[in-house]
Amino acid sequence: MNFKIAVVAGDGIGPEVMEENIKVLNAVGEKFGHKFEYEYVLGGGCAIDKYGEPLPQHTIDVCKASDSVLLGAVGGWQWDTLPGDKRPEKALLGLRGALGLYANLRPATLHQALAGACPLKPELVADGVDIMVVRELTGGMYFGEKGRKMTDMGEAAYDVEIYAKEEVRRIAKRGFEIAMQRNKHLTNVDKQNVLESSRLWRSVVLDVAKDYPEVELDHLYVDNASMQLIMRPTTFDVIVTSNIFGDILSDEASQMTGSIGMLPSASLGDGKLGMYEPVHGSAPDIAGKDIANPIATILSGAMMLKYSFKLDEEAKAIEDAVTKVLEQGYRTADIYSEGMKKVGTKEMGRLIRENL
């Protein structure tokens, strides 16, 4: 099979971790008989430097015409003084909007080889942690009405949490579909005892659940969910939740994995087109030093194979190769501990390809 992929390598360590991702994908293509064609476009700070804007129309057009999009990382201190709508991060938000990507998938998987790096007590993660947070990405208070007004207590600010039924329905459906591919357990997180938006949210989730009788569905208020993630993380499979709750809970879950350098993510819409990126930032302080961890970006490539291209065996080959390398004791600086073998960005990529 042939696939056209738009590559937005971005800023900082983005290009170097993306290079290792591309090499791994090419090795998978050679092994399984696929061909990946890449078109590189600019987004983020590098686009500002060349075009004066973080997301040129040409980048949007190429991404829309591709089968999928790979993103490295955007941002850096040199653009921190720009106005909010001109900063590199607008490229990320702009692409999500332009491509109609409303579902953010953030897996939090603790490899047993990295169990010692998990901040939780060993007995809490003895059975392994493998959680998928499905976060609604284009609604809620991040996109609702905003403003300021005067009150009898002085100036006040507001951000409106608003969801339409169809917005909830499509993210709930995505959550159930992913649960069907995993352990058939979905936890809906809301705050329906207080928020009217959560009452609508839960009613829609319950309605969608009728189409997935095989999936065990339970519900947690967001405050309880944040506690249960720490107290019993191994009991979670898939979590579906709103934009703001998902933003917070996915960051909490990520801390169980040992390093942010291990965490991939996917942003999906209704078609096969998706955008795949590591959770970490551009880390300009270590850019070009061959010390960045490429695993999150490489695992983002694996998510692309699985969710956009339906190549489950190929995706698992990458995941298994990463596991093998970690079991062999190889570590980049962010996950290094005494007694392990420290390697750089390029060598970690080579080892993963060798273990495919």
Side-chain angles (χ1 to χ4, degrees), residues 119-278:
L120 300 182
K121 293 180 178 179
E123 57 267 28
L124 293 178
V125 294
D127 295 332
V129 176
D130 185 9
I131 302 169
M132 177 68 79
V133 179
V134 181
R135 167 192 171 193
E136 201 287 324
L137 203 56
T138 59
M141 68 170 62
Y142 290 177
F143 293 89
E145 182 184 352
K146 306 174 187 302
R148 298 196 179 195
K149 63 181 181 180
M150 293 303 299
T151 71
D152 56 3
M153 299 291 286
E155 185 181 21
Y158 58 91
D159 300 273
V160 176
E161 174 83 352
I162 182 169
Y163 271 110
K165 281 188 175 182
E166 286 308 309
E167 286 181 298
V168 182
R169 186 175 304 278
R170 64 186 184 180
I171 193 68
K173 182 178 178 182
R174 180 74 70 171
F176 278 103
E177 289 172 348
I178 292 172
M180 285 290 292
Q181 298 171 18
R182 290 168 52 94
N183 297 318
K184 298 183 179 180
H185 176 203
L186 181 68
T187 300
N188 168 57
V189 175
D190 57 36
K191 192 64 176 172
Q192 74 112 32
N193 58 331
V194 175
L195 301 177
E196 191 62 30
S197 58
S198 280
R199 295 185 186 109
L200 180 139
W201 179 286
R202 185 175 294 198
S203 69
V204 174
V205 171
L206 286 169
D207 187 52
V208 174
K210 298 173 185 176
D211 296 328
Y212 299 89
E214 297 177 61
V215 176
E216 176 190 356
L217 172 65
D218 54 28
H219 306 272
L220 290 175
Y221 297 148
V222 63
D223 45 355
N224 188 23
S226 66
M227 291 190 294
Q228 297 304 326
L229 273 172
I230 298 301
M231 295 171 60
R232 51 182 189 94
T234 61
T235 63
F236 287 90
D237 180 21
V238 179
I239 295 172
V240 65
T241 191
S242 66
N243 203 340
I244 188 169
F245 295 161
D247 193 0
I248 297 166
L249 293 178
S250 60
D251 277 357
E252 180 186 9
S254 74
Q255 293 308 299
M256 304 174 194
T257 67
S259 170
I260 199 169
M262 299 295 298
L263 298 171
S265 76
S267 298
L268 306 177
D270 287 326
K272 70 177 181 178
L273 177 62
M275 184 165 67
Y276 300 85
E277 59 183 300

